[in-house]
Amino acid sequence: MMYEIGCMDCQVASGTVISRIAVKDAKPDDRELFEERVLLPKALDGGIIKEELGSVVVSRKQMQSGKVMRTEKGDVVIKLTTPYDTAYVTEDDAGIIISSHCAVIRALNPNEVDCRYLAYVLSSPYGKDALSSMTNGAATAMLKVRDIISIPIPMVSMEEQRYLGDLYELSCKKRIVLRGIQINERKVMDNLIMDAIEKEIG
């Protein structure tokens, strides 16, 4: 059975336009200003890659305005441009400002859909094709909230959703760990070659 995301008990919303909330001339000693993490599209890869997060200085008033979209545990975040990467938000990644280049799906009834399963479907070849089909013929291949709402999702039993969600979450954690290993390995190799070059030059 297929259900459009808009027919599920979910909220779908776009992120925050960062330029509208950023404080331009921040003073270091201003207690009303805070540096906050920003979820950029390049930080989406099943999970959230912390090394790829951005930052912005915002005022306490802006953060309390209710206009700033932040991640919550269980959210599914989608990049609005190709290749439409997704991320499932864990408890560790809650509270990050979501940029306007992304949209968020937030389940209002966790007993209806496991958002890890939803993220799994959207990141699968089926999901990528479904998202791409929404922008066919458009001048720019940028998704809108109305496009995401109309994506049909195959709805299996909650037991199977949770099982597939567990597998997906484990896979995402493994991918992020492996990515960290690759980054560290590259840094070590870069340092070795730079040391060798400096010895020759010096």
Side-chain angles (χ1 to χ4, degrees):
M1 190 177 298
M2 305 289 278
Y3 281 97
E4 290 185 356
I5 291 175
C7 295
M8 302 175 189
D9 199 1
C10 293
Q11 173 192 5
V12 183
S14 55
T16 305
V17 179
I18 302 302
S19 62
R20 291 181 186 167
I21 64 168
V23 176
K24 301 292 188 293
D25 301 314
K27 296 177 182 177
D29 59 344
D30 194 329
R31 296 181 183 179
E32 292 298 306
L33 301 181
F34 303 90
E35 186 171 3
E36 294 282 340
R37 297 177 298 168
V38 177
L39 181 56
L40 303 173
K42 64 181 179 178
L44 305 180
D45 186 18
I48 293 175
I49 305 163
K50 291 179 175 60
E51 297 82 7
E52 299 291 354
L53 293 173
S55 65
V56 64
V57 175
V58 294
S59 68
R60 186 191 303 274
K61 184 178 179 181
Q62 279 281 14
M63 293 307 294
Q64 294 175 345
S65 69
K67 296 177 182 178
V68 179
M69 181 62 72
R70 305 179 79 160
T71 55
E72 293 183 7
K73 182 188 176 193
D75 284 350
V76 178
V77 185
I78 305 173
K79 178 183 172 187
L80 294 176
T81 54
T82 56
Y84 307 122
D85 295 318
T86 61
Y88 173 77
V89 179
T90 64
E91 189 171 357
D92 289 342
D93 296 318
I96 303 170
I97 297 174
I98 304 168
S99 79
S100 58
H101 300 289
C102 304
V104 62
I105 303 171
R106 185 168 293 164
L108 303 177
N109 180 3
N111 293 319
E112 181 181 86
V113 61
D114 186 316
C115 276
R116 298 171 307 162
Y117 168 72
L118 187 55
Y120 195 178
V121 172
L122 291 171
S123 64
S124 70
Y126 164 80
K128 297 275 189 182
D129 287 346
L131 290 165
S132 296
S133 71
M134 294 295 160
T135 57
N136 282 347
T140 57
M142 186 164 185
L143 290 168
K144 296 178 174 58
V145 167
R146 67 173 179 266
D147 298 325
I148 297 169
I149 286 172
S150 62
I151 298 291
I153 302 294
M155 293 304 290
V156 297
S157 69
M158 277 304 300
E159 183 180 5
E160 191 170 356
Q161 285 185 46
R162 288 177 179 134
Y163 171 70
L164 292 170
D166 285 342
L167 292 179
Y168 177 68
E169 191 171 8
L170 285 171
S171 174
C172 292
K173 286 177 180 177
K174 180 180 178 182
R175 191 158 65 240
I176 288 172
V177 168
L178 289 173
R179 189 178 189 277
I181 291 170
Q182 289 176 331
I183 290 170
N184 289 333
E185 185 179 72
R186 181 59 188 266
K187 285 179 181 176
V188 169
M189 296 303 295
D190 287 348
N191 289 337
L192 287 173
I193 192 65
M194 290 308 297
D195 287 346
I197 290 169
E198 285 170 7
K199 282 178 185 176
E200 287 300 316
I201 294 173

